[in-house]
Amino acid sequence: MVLDVKYPTIDNLACEEKVVFLRADLNVGLDESGQIRDDSRIRAILPTIQDLQKKRAKLVIASHLGRPAGKPNPKFSLLPVARRLAELLHVEVIKPDDCVGFEIKKLIAELRDKNIILLENLRFHHREEQNHDVFARQLAQYMDVYVTDAFGSLHREHASTVGMVRYFKQRAIGRLVEKEIAVLSRLLTEPQKPFVVVMGGAKISDKIGVIENLLNTASHILIGGGMAYTFLMAQGVDVGASLVEPNKIKLAQKILQRARFKSVPVHLPVDHVIVPDISHGAPQKIVSNNDNWSNQKGVDIGPQTVREFSDVLKQAQTVFWNGPLGVCEIEDFRKGTYAIAGAIAQLNAFTVVGGGDSVSAVRKSGVAENISHLSTGGGASLKFLERSVLPGLKALL
Ligand code: ADP
Ligand code: MG
């Protein structure tokens, strides 16, 4: 249902000399000294900004950053983002101290050339996350057109993503959201085959809807990470003290059954890195499914699994990957995740990675350049693949 909808795009807008409110996701990571660690979220919205500038719009951009808990806090100011945006676009980026109020009107009136206003952090107001109507109206007050390119925030029902939208006749999605929808829809409807899905991460319960939907189009499903242990347990394997969701074992069995019914092979890990406790420097052992795990925890896929998964991946024309294949925050346990990232990056295929931790693992492993599409929405990409209605998209219709 979600996939048949055509959302209005920038091409549909008449915005010459109009004030365009652009909701973006500029929630970049900052280090202790306030420097931007990774500016990819800023770069991701440049096409939208440039296309709106070509249409001679006056641009007012808004975003959240971090979790300032509803009050102003200089640690979460968008000032570093404004500076980077100015460098990237070679224009002046004006950053007021707030995101609402009379000052904004003044700044809009003074806006010249291709200069841009970047509003201060939306979450300096607790009414943003409450989707409070008074705040929604304040945000909409001096604006003529609403555009959202905040793909990573579309699953949230906030004043800037949902509440304010009703106050606009002209509404559209930006280029980034357009691209995300196109790429993710294709995975659900007509991926070029063979289509290999790689799922990992901590829990099955977070990903059940995604797996079920992708079963309709996948040629193979590879499962690793924490969720693999519930599947293995469902097949009677002793997984020691690994992360297991006992109340999801039946569900895992149901998924395996459905996959068999649809003739989609599900590949589970055949060997594992196990440790007595999940910490850096813990003594590691490699075990197979039939070995004695001596009540230890599985923290990564083993070398034989890496080989088997890589072999399946070799034939792929399309790949979707979500969820690290081990506890990759800890250096000792990221070999499997990085090896699979490398295997996917080498393919001559359409490759998509989604999910916050997965995308950051791909970046850290250094192969991001060789992935066709890194989805910018962690939770939102998964919701989309579950075919859930994203409130921020629904609001546009
Ligand atoms: P994404 O953010 O890409 O959707 P998730 O949040 O679902 O991914 O999964 C990431 C988490 O999964 C990481 O915190 C990682 O430590 C955890 N994880 C992966 N493998 C295991 C494992 N074997 N045991 C426990 N946790 C794991
Ligand atoms: Mg995560």
Side-chain angles (χ1 to χ4, degrees):
M1 170 205 65
V2 193
L3 304 178
D4 308 332
V5 183
K6 277 254 174 291
Y7 298 96
T9 70
I10 294 176
D11 303 314
N12 305 105
L13 298 176
C15 49
E16 189 165 337
E17 294 301 310
K18 294 268 196 293
V19 185
V20 174
F21 180 97
L22 172 61
R23 175 57 162 103
D25 181 356
L26 302 175
N27 184 20
V28 296
L30 301 172
D31 63 19
E32 289 78 37
S33 61
Q35 298 290 312
I36 296 171
R37 271 206 217 102
D38 173 7
D39 67 359
S40 42
R41 287 198 168 150
I42 305 176
R43 291 175 186 276
I45 63 153
L46 296 181
T48 300
I49 294 178
Q50 283 155 347
D51 282 359
L52 286 167
Q53 283 177 330
K54 272 185 219 142
K55 298 192 114 187
R56 309 211 19 233
K58 293 185 179 192
L59 263 176
V60 179
I61 305 177
S63 176
H64 67 285
L65 179 83
R67 299 187 177 278
K71 40 183 189 301
N73 179 342
K75 246 176 69 189
F76 298 104
S77 170
L78 278 156
L79 189 61
V81 176
R83 292 204 179 112
R84 179 61 56 90
L85 203 50
E87 283 166 17
L88 291 169
L89 288 165
H90 308 290
V91 298
E92 212 179 305
V93 177
I94 298 134
K95 196 220 49 86
D97 293 331
D98 202 350
C99 56
V100 290
F102 190 71
E103 194 202 351
I104 313 292
K105 182 179 180 172
K106 226 180 84 211
L107 292 175
I108 292 170
E110 291 164 1
L111 208 54
R112 294 287 168 266
D113 307 322
K114 288 186 169 174
N115 293 347
I116 289 172
I117 296 171
L118 174 63
L119 300 174
E120 189 49 283
N121 197 337
L122 291 159
R123 290 194 186 164
F124 282 0
H125 294 258
H126 62 272
R127 288 176 165 181
E128 158 67 356
E129 290 183 73
Q130 291 167 350
N131 191 15
H132 198 294
D133 187 49
V134 170
F135 185 61
R137 266 184 289 170
Q138 283 176 313
L139 283 172
Q141 199 169 17
Y142 310 116
M143 315 292 162
D144 303 313
V145 178
Y146 180 89
V147 177
T148 182
D149 222 10
F151 186 70
S153 306
L154 289 176
H155 60 310
R156 303 193 192 283
E157 215 159 313
H158 293 170
S160 66
T161 55
V162 172
M164 69 184 291
V165 182
R166 74 175 77 105
Y167 298 108
F168 294 87
K169 274 209 195 73
Q170 290 205 76
R171 312 157 174 181
I173 53 173
R175 300 302 186 207
L176 174 64
V177 171
E178 230 183 301
K179 184 165 173 215
E180 291 277 7
I181 291 178
V183 167
L184 299 177
S185 305
R186 200 166 125 195
L187 299 180
L188 290 173
T189 53
E190 44 182 16
Q192 221 186 330
K193 306 270 182 109
F195 173 30
V196 179
V197 173
V198 188
M199 296 295 293
K203 293 182 173 173
I204 298 195
S205 38
D206 299 341
K207 311 283 171 80
I208 217 67
V210 176
I211 300 178
E212 284 188 336
N213 275 307
L214 290 176
L215 260 180
N216 294 321
T217 44
S219 315
H220 290 269
I221 299 192
L222 312 178
I223 295 182
M227 74 160 80
Y229 304 115
T230 304
F231 279 100
L232 287 168
M233 204 161 200
Q235 298 195 324
V237 176
D238 163 26
V239 296
S242 304
L243 181 74
V244 169
E245 293 170 274
N247 58 346
K248 295 288 181 270
I249 291 176
K250 282 239 162 64
L251 191 63
Q253 277 162 342
K254 225 179 75 194
I255 291 178
L256 291 171
Q257 224 169 31
R258 271 197 58 201
R260 254 194 312 273
F261 179 72
K262 291 181 172 283
S263 307
V264 180
V266 175
H267 306 254
L268 294 171
V270 292
D271 61 345
H272 314 262
V273 176
I274 61 168
V275 289
D277 61 297
I278 301 183
S279 62
H280 173 65
Q284 302 187 5
K285 238 168 73 182
I286 295 188
V287 292
S288 307
N289 289 349
N290 301 323
D291 293 340
N292 182 356
W293 291 40
S294 21
N295 211 30
Q296 300 201 8
K297 297 180 169 75
V299 286
D300 198 359
I301 52 173
Q304 182 58 26
T305 306
V306 168
R307 276 193 290 275
E308 290 188 11
F309 282 13
S310 304
D311 264 354
V312 177
L313 282 163
K314 269 190 198 129
Q315 21 160 330
Q317 285 300 313
T318 308
V319 176
F320 174 71
W321 177 21
N322 167 260
L325 302 171
V327 184
C328 63
E329 297 90 331
I330 300 176
E331 203 185 324
D332 312 10
F333 314 137
R334 59 173 70 136
K335 274 201 200 84
T337 301
Y338 280 25
I340 295 302
I344 294 176
Q346 271 182 13
L347 298 174
N348 187 12
F350 184 64
T351 52
V352 182
V353 179
D357 294 297
S358 317
V359 169
S360 92
V362 166
R363 285 194 201 286
K364 272 203 224 145
S365 76
V367 299
E369 293 289 300
N370 297 317
I371 302 293
S372 318
H373 182 76
L374 295 175
S375 184
T376 51
S381 331
L382 296 182
K383 287 268 175 243
F384 191 91
L385 291 172
E386 268 176 39
R387 292 184 181 242
S388 294
V389 175
L390 300 183
L393 286 180
K394 195 172 155 219
L396 296 170
L397 299 172

